[in-house]
Amino acid sequence: SYELTQTPSVSVSPGQTASITCSGTKLGDKSVSWYHQTPGQSPVLVIYETFRRPSAIPARFSGSSSGNTATLTISGTQALDEADFYCQAWDNDNAIFGGGTKLTVL
Amino acid sequence: QVTLRESGPALIKPRQTLTLTCSFSGFSLRTNGLCVTWIRQPPGKAPEWLARIDWDDAKYYNTSLKTRLSISEDTSNSQVVLTMANMDTVDTATYYCARTTRPGPAAAYFDYWGQGILVTVSS
């Protein structure tokens, strides 16, 4: 079955750039979504179709993909960005989620 | 304004069948490209996709769980119902429904989520 692999944790200083990666076989050929989740809250879509951003999401969030890796980049990271991030793609009509990356802003 | 709300039992016994209802507003499931999806998330773990029903009534299920799942729509009440048979303690999770926008065959994203309902399986 298809799998998406994420680094369990990433740390970044306020104002710096955070990169969260997601790996899967030929992931660059798929449409990737990214979700942000804070404790006790529902996930929120931050990137869809690999690089598109919902209108309510700040421009500091961006997405890219190439080969087997998709990347969520957060520029000028703020303390309120601290959360769990999940990548998601489709394979054989099944949605697959990555294991999640905990972003710590310190 | 798009909203979704899950309802159902908070506690269910092993081997029973879980029935969850997603009540939604602000969109029509008859709109081309719109779907409703069920997703669950065990405590401290990543989300797991369960099932999806599309605007044309096509239905898709998690390959590993498909024998236990059924998804259906009550158009008149803007509701989508998920049933999951033979519940086990490992099925304890927060269950979410989400509006899904599907612009193409292999591209769909979950753009609005309900608040989720925690379902505990215990005798």
Side-chain angles (χ1 to χ4, degrees), chain A residues 30-31 33 35 37 40-45 47-49 86 88 90 92-100, chain B residues 39 41 45-49 52 60-63 96 102-103 105-111 113-116:
Chain A
K30 298 181 181 293
S31 177
S33 300
Y35 301 87
Q37 185 179 33
Q41 300 300 309
S42 304
V44 173
L45 178 71
I47 293 291
Y48 65 99
E49 294 182 321
Y86 297 98
Q88 177 261 314
W90 290 86
N92 290 330
D93 290 325
N94 273 221
I96 309 298
F97 286 91
Chain B
I39 294 161
Q41 187 172 28
K45 296 188 177 181
E48 178 182 31
W49 179 80
R52 190 184 88 214
Y60 302 86
Y61 296 100
N62 182 308
T63 301
Y96 296 98
R102 189 181 173 206
Y109 48 90
F110 313 121
D111 49 5
W113 295 62
Q115 64 185 18

Side-chain angles (χ1 to χ4, degrees), chain B residues 64-81:
Chain B
S64 301
L65 297 169
K66 65 184 302 181
T67 60
R68 299 173 55 201
L69 294 170
S70 177
I71 191 169
S72 62
E73 180 199 1
D74 179 350
T75 310
S76 59
N77 289 319
S78 294
Q79 294 180 326
V80 170
V81 176

Side-chain angles (χ1 to χ4, degrees), chain B residues 19 21 32-33 44 56-57 76-77 87-90 92 99 104-105 112:
Chain B
T19 299
T21 300
N32 196 303
D56 58 0
D57 206 37
S76 59
N77 289 319
M87 294 291 284
D88 183 85
T89 55
V90 299
T92 293
R99 192 186 84 160
Y112 293 90

Side-chain angles (χ1 to χ4, degrees), chain A residues 19-87:
Chain A
S19 294
I20 298 172
T21 60
C22 176
S23 299
T25 303
K26 296 185 178 180
L27 185 57
D29 294 340
K30 298 181 181 293
S31 177
V32 180
S33 300
W34 290 90
Y35 301 87
H36 158 291
Q37 185 179 33
T38 51
Q41 300 300 309
S42 304
V44 173
L45 178 71
V46 294
I47 293 291
Y48 65 99
E49 294 182 321
T50 303
F51 59 87
R52 300 189 190 279
R53 184 172 40 82
S55 58
I57 301 302
R60 62 179 183 276
F61 289 85
S62 62
S64 62
S65 181
S66 178
N68 294 325
T69 302
T71 302
L72 173 69
T73 302
I74 309 171
S75 304
T77 307
Q78 301 180 11
L80 58 82
D81 296 329
E82 189 165 281
D84 293 323
F85 288 86
Y86 297 98
C87 59

Side-chain angles (χ1 to χ4, degrees), chain B residues 8-14 16 18 92 117-123:
Chain B
L11 179 65
I12 190 168
K13 296 184 186 315
Q16 288 187 331
L18 173 67
T92 293
I117 180 171
L118 175 61
V119 178
T120 301
V121 184
S122 174
S123 55

